[in-house]
């Protein structure tokens, strides 16, 4: 089945179409459109031109800086009970009114009847606007995924290596941002996005020193949330002279650093449009198993989609009975 992945950043609209099995996708087309300000219907239409398919699964992203995350512990290991606890107790710990908050969660650890969950939340207005804009160009998203979870999927498919030891801090350098994602036992337990990207870090050692400070600050914050969880290795991907930066990161962070290509062995056809951008989030989501991800699609949109699927299944069953 065809999968279409859309990523909107501060400076570009990026879209990818892929066919074939998730583990070995065939990337058919990648489009990058420059963006200044808010995305428009016409800009989206241009970026998605030639990608759409009636049978495609459409995955959209929301940037990491637009969501809130919390690590919470609950006295249950059952998914249905955890969902209720997240809805009642988890939402109460967020700065938004409960009826204006869309949440999802992933279990990152079980121990002694307790579960540690990663709660992810976004204000409903942001998600409603995105769904409305996508519908204006004829698209119905199956998932809306924070960009950090695209990097988790990238790591699980392409970022692991025999030298990688979890917990692993993945540093993703893009043209307009830098993502920090800590992965433990295959789960995302911490994420952060910085506004500085490749252009900023290329300015010299002082600027790279600021990146190291932000990384150390993030690791210190993680130690408070998850005592005993400490990054053992670092994965470096995205744009830039990563092989040349490897030694710098190892010296400053005191951890082994593995450099990995953002697209790995996946063949990317010539990109349509302008812009030097990282493919890690797009490729990761094109290869992702759905249970790896959190989905911030509003529940009423999910329910409507499920209803349409059931109606189509009933219609097909009725046709079979008539033949």
């Amino acid at each position: 089945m065809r999968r279409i992945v859309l990523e909107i950043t501060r400076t570009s609209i990026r879209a990818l179409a892929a066919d074939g099995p998730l583990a070995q996708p065939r990337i058919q087309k990648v489009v990058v459109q420059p963006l200044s300000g808010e995305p428009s219907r016409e800009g989206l239409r241009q970026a998605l031109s030639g990608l759409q398919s009636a049978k495609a699964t459409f995955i959209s992203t929301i940037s990491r800086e637009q969501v809130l995350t919390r690590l919470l512990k609950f006295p249950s290991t059952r998914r249905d009970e955890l969902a209720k606890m997240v809805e009642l107790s988890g939402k109460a710990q967020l700065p938004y009114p409960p009826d204006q908050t869309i949440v999802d969660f992933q279990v990152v650890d079980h121990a002694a009847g307790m579960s540690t969950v990663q709660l992810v939340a976004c204000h409903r207005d942001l998600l409603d606007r995105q769904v409305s804009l996508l519908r204006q160009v004829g698209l119905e998203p199956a998932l809306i995924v924070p960009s950090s979870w695209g990097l988790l999927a990238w790591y699980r498919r392409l970022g692991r290596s025999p030298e990688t030891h979890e917990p692993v801090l993945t540093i993703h350098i893009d043209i307009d941002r830098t993502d920090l994602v800590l992965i433990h036992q295959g789960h995302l337990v911490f994420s952060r996005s910085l506004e500085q990207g490749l252009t900023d870090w290329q300015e010299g050692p002082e600027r790279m020193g600021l990146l190291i400070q932000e990384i150390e600050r993030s690791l210190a914050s993680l130690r408070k949330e998850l005592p005993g969880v400490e990054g053992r290795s670092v994965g470096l991907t995205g744009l830039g002279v990563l092989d040349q930066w490897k030694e710098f990161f190892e010296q400053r962070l005191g951890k082994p650093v593995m450099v990995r290509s953002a697209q790995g062995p996946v063949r990317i056809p010539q990109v349509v449009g302008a812009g030097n951008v990282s493919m890690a989030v797009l490729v990761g989501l094109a290869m992702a198993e759905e249970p790896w991800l959190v989905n911030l699609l509003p529940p009423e949109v999910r329910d409507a989609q499920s209803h349409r699927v059931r109606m189509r299944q009933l219609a097909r069953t009725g046709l079979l009975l008539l033949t």
Side-chain angles (χ1 to χ4, degrees):
M1 176 180 287
R2 170 159 288 206
R3 295 174 299 286
I4 298 171
V5 184
L6 175 71
E7 181 184 12
I8 301 174
T9 75
R10 288 184 294 111
T11 60
S12 65
I13 300 173
R14 313 168 187 185
L16 175 150
D19 294 313
L22 293 176
Q24 295 179 311
R26 296 184 299 275
I27 308 301
Q28 302 297 338
K29 190 175 182 180
V30 177
V31 178
V32 178
Q33 292 278 354
L35 177 65
S36 177
E38 292 296 315
S40 66
R41 179 174 58 184
E42 188 55 35
L44 273 182
R45 185 173 283 118
Q46 290 177 9
L48 295 164
S49 176
L51 299 183
Q52 287 143 299
S53 167
K55 295 183 179 180
T57 298
F58 180 65
I59 304 169
S60 183
T61 67
I62 188 162
S63 61
R64 169 62 184 86
E65 55 264 34
Q66 291 182 305
V67 303
L68 298 174
T69 62
R70 297 283 189 274
L71 276 174
L72 304 173
K73 288 191 176 183
F74 293 114
S76 178
T77 58
R78 290 179 50 182
R79 178 84 188 183
D80 57 339
E81 292 179 351
L82 290 171
K84 293 176 182 177
M85 293 175 186
V86 165
E87 188 68 24
L88 293 174
S89 176
K91 279 189 173 183
Q93 302 186 41
L94 298 170
Y96 308 139
D99 62 341
Q100 291 298 306
T101 307
I102 305 296
V103 300
D104 198 7
F105 70 95
Q106 280 193 334
V107 178
V108 299
D109 192 30
H110 290 303
M114 299 286 292
S115 295
T116 301
V117 305
Q118 177 75 273
L119 171 69
V120 186
C122 186
H123 198 284
R124 172 179 281 277
D125 285 352
L126 290 171
L127 298 166
D128 286 345
R129 285 202 299 269
Q130 186 169 139
V131 170
S132 175
L133 183 62
L134 294 172
R135 285 174 170 171
Q136 290 176 41
V137 296
L139 288 170
E140 191 73 29
L143 299 98
I144 297 180
V145 182
S147 55
S148 296
W149 268 259
L151 294 172
L152 170 67
W154 171 87
Y155 168 80
R156 295 186 68 158
R157 291 292 193 195
L158 303 175
R160 282 177 166 144
S161 72
E163 296 81 24
T164 303
H165 301 289
E166 296 183 14
V168 57
L169 175 68
T170 295
I171 304 171
H172 171 240
I173 298 177
D174 206 341
I175 194 68
D176 56 2
R177 74 178 194 274
T178 298
D179 299 293
L180 309 176
V181 175
L182 192 91
I183 298 164
H184 181 44
Q185 297 177 346
H187 298 289
L188 190 156
V189 297
F190 178 87
S191 62
R192 186 181 174 201
S193 187
L194 310 175
E195 289 187 354
Q196 296 86 356
L198 175 65
T199 306
D200 301 283
W201 309 134
Q202 285 178 325
E203 291 180 7
E206 281 192 15
R207 299 291 288 182
M208 290 294 284
L210 291 175
L211 175 56
I212 295 296
Q213 290 178 19
E214 293 296 340
I215 292 170
E216 291 173 338
R217 186 178 303 163
S218 298
L219 292 174
S221 175
L222 174 70
R223 292 185 200 105
K224 293 179 181 178
E225 290 193 88
L226 278 179
V229 175
E230 178 67 65
R232 296 177 59 200
S233 61
V234 175
L236 186 59
T237 191
L239 304 178
V241 287
L242 302 182
D243 287 313
Q244 295 180 31
W245 293 344
K246 170 181 161 69
E247 185 177 353
F248 172 82
F249 279 98
E250 286 183 331
Q251 290 177 349
R252 295 294 300 270
L253 295 174
K255 304 177 190 300
V257 175
M258 277 63 66
V259 174
R260 309 291 285 176
S261 165
Q263 65 189 63
V266 178
R267 181 181 171 274
I268 302 288
Q270 184 175 1
V271 176
V272 178
N276 180 29
V277 302
S278 171
M279 294 288 147
V281 171
L282 290 176
V283 171
L285 289 174
M287 303 178 77
E289 301 280 355
E290 190 169 335
W292 299 352
L293 308 173
V294 292
N295 184 8
L296 293 175
L297 195 67
E300 66 275 9
V301 179
R302 294 195 211 188
D303 292 343
Q305 291 177 354
S306 298
H307 177 73
R308 287 194 293 271
V309 169
R310 287 195 298 271
M311 292 300 99
R312 285 196 294 267
Q313 290 172 341
L314 287 172
R316 284 197 293 269
T317 303
L319 287 173
L320 288 172
L321 291 172
L322 290 172
T323 57

XYZ file of all heavy atoms in Angstrom, residues 5 10 22 32 54 56 102 106 130 134 136 144 156 269 289 298 304 307 315:
148
model
N 3.857 10.687 3.426
C 4.280 11.318 4.673
C 4.495 12.806 4.413
O 5.153 13.181 3.436
C 5.580 10.692 5.219
C 5.935 11.319 6.568
C 5.440 9.177 5.354
N 9.608 24.981 10.003
C 9.536 26.450 9.951
C 9.897 26.991 8.572
O 9.475 28.089 8.202
C 10.476 27.057 10.995
C 10.004 26.894 12.424
C 10.911 27.597 13.419
N 12.242 26.989 13.483
C 13.348 27.557 13.046
N 13.301 28.768 12.502
N 14.517 26.945 13.154
N 7.105 -2.223 4.714
C 7.602 -1.178 5.604
C 9.111 -1.272 5.810
O 9.802 -0.256 5.865
C 6.889 -1.256 6.952
C 5.393 -0.923 6.968
C 4.814 -1.145 8.358
C 5.147 0.501 6.516
N 10.169 18.974 -1.876
C 10.479 19.966 -0.841
C 10.118 21.341 -1.386
O 10.619 21.751 -2.433
C 11.972 19.936 -0.448
C 12.256 21.025 0.587
C 12.362 18.563 0.085
N -5.919 7.326 -3.918
C -7.144 7.068 -3.152
C -6.924 5.995 -2.085
O -7.599 5.991 -1.057
C -8.262 6.638 -4.096
N -3.970 5.401 -0.507
C -2.767 5.659 0.283
C -3.101 5.889 1.752
O -4.166 6.406 2.094
C -2.028 6.874 -0.272
N -5.641 17.219 23.277
C -5.614 15.900 22.656
C -4.359 15.194 23.165
O -3.257 15.760 23.122
C -5.567 15.979 21.114
C -6.747 16.816 20.587
C -5.564 14.579 20.506
C -8.113 16.241 20.862
N 2.525 6.300 25.317
C 3.202 5.024 25.109
C 3.758 4.547 26.437
O 4.265 5.344 27.237
C 4.349 5.155 24.099
C 3.900 5.150 22.655
C 5.074 4.973 21.706
O 6.206 5.312 22.021
N 4.804 4.440 20.529
N -4.762 21.883 11.435
C -4.023 21.034 10.498
C -4.951 20.093 9.738
O -4.841 19.953 8.519
C -2.952 20.223 11.234
C -2.072 19.435 10.272
C -0.846 18.841 10.921
O -0.484 17.711 10.638
N -0.179 19.586 11.784
N -5.534 20.139 5.638
C -5.301 18.939 4.833
C -6.560 18.546 4.066
O -6.488 18.123 2.901
C -4.833 17.792 5.728
C -3.460 17.991 6.379
C -3.185 16.888 7.390
C -2.360 18.046 5.330
N -8.724 20.525 2.920
C -8.908 21.467 1.820
C -8.169 21.029 0.555
O -8.504 21.462 -0.544
C -8.435 22.862 2.230
C -9.322 23.535 3.263
C -8.764 24.877 3.702
O -8.263 25.651 2.890
N -8.853 25.155 4.993
N -1.462 11.742 12.991
C -0.693 12.970 13.165
C 0.333 12.667 14.251
O -0.020 12.418 15.407
C -1.573 14.167 13.554
C -2.578 14.481 12.438
C -0.704 15.395 13.835
C -3.490 15.659 12.736
N 14.822 2.866 14.953
C 14.507 1.442 15.023
C 14.771 0.728 13.700
O 15.118 -0.451 13.696
C 13.057 1.255 15.477
C 12.827 1.742 16.903
C 11.442 1.434 17.422
N 11.246 0.009 17.612
C 10.325 -0.517 18.422
N 9.541 0.290 19.136
N 10.195 -1.805 18.534
N 14.970 8.960 -4.662
C 15.064 9.538 -6.006
C 15.379 11.024 -5.925
O 15.383 11.611 -4.840
C 13.671 9.299 -6.589
C 12.773 9.215 -5.396
C 13.593 8.601 -4.299
N 6.177 0.990 11.978
C 5.026 0.194 12.413
C 4.151 1.102 13.275
O 4.660 1.847 14.127
C 5.485 -1.004 13.240
C 6.428 -1.963 12.526
C 5.712 -2.925 11.603
O 4.460 -2.905 11.601
O 6.393 -3.692 10.901
N -7.405 13.934 16.371
C -8.537 14.089 17.297
C -9.441 12.860 17.291
O -9.677 12.256 16.241
C -9.262 15.329 16.751
C -8.170 16.132 16.103
C -7.256 15.103 15.483
N -14.801 8.744 13.078
C -15.441 8.873 11.768
C -14.743 7.996 10.733
O -15.402 7.359 9.895
C -15.436 10.334 11.319
N -15.677 4.405 11.337
C -17.045 4.156 10.868
C -17.077 3.956 9.353
O -17.739 3.028 8.858
C -17.941 5.333 11.266
C -19.360 5.201 10.775
N -20.261 4.318 11.321
C -20.019 5.852 9.746
C -21.414 4.414 10.685
N -21.288 5.327 9.732
N -20.377 -3.191 3.124
C -20.805 -3.136 1.726
C -20.169 -4.253 0.914
O -20.841 -4.896 0.093
C -20.452 -1.770 1.132
